Amino acid sequence: MLDRLPEVKQADGGGWTALKVRGKGFGYLWEQTETVGLKATIEEQLALVAERPEVFEVQFTMGRFGWVVVHLDKIDADELFELVTEAWCLTAPKHLVEAHESSH
């Protein structure tokens, strides 16, 4: 799935795998808990958690972003990819996002 987004790198963080684009993190995978933390807008974070608290949890907020925990066993692959793509778009340089969106 991650190979569909340009310049994504994975880095071992010890107990997690960091997802980065151009050195900036947009997601973290915790295999042991079968969860992923993804960057989102604060509005999106709150909406996801309010709509489906069994799938999403508030992780933390930082500035204008709200990170959300996603329980992988409770979400389908297409929706997960959509959320990963949104997190990537919030982090990647504008020209990279525009190039990706124009090719899809």
Side-chain angles (χ1 to χ4, degrees):
M1 164 174 59
L2 292 173
D3 59 345
R4 294 168 33 195
L5 297 170
E7 299 189 31
V8 171
K9 304 286 185 219
Q10 296 182 48
D12 182 13
W16 69 89
T17 302
L19 308 177
K20 298 182 178 191
V21 58
R22 299 265 174 109
K24 295 181 179 179
F26 66 89
Y28 299 89
L29 170 66
W30 292 275
E31 288 186 33
Q32 185 175 356
T33 59
E34 297 182 24
T35 59
V36 64
L38 294 172
K39 188 178 201 178
T41 64
I42 291 173
E43 296 80 14
E44 180 73 5
Q45 174 203 53
L46 296 174
L48 288 169
V49 172
E51 183 178 300
R52 294 187 2 235
E54 72 281 2
V55 180
F56 304 105
E57 307 174 24
V58 170
Q59 187 173 21
F60 63 90
T61 59
M62 181 179 289
R64 61 190 179 110
F65 299 109
W67 288 71
V68 63
V69 174
V70 182
H71 293 269
L72 296 174
D73 62 340
K74 297 178 181 168
I75 190 170
D76 70 48
D78 289 338
E79 184 179 13
L80 178 60
F81 182 68
E82 181 181 321
L83 293 171
V84 169
T85 301
E86 289 174 15
W88 179 88
C89 287
L90 291 171
T91 309
K94 187 176 180 177
H95 71 277
L96 202 58
V97 173
E98 289 171 351
H100 173 71
E101 288 177 346
S102 69
S103 70
H104 290 85

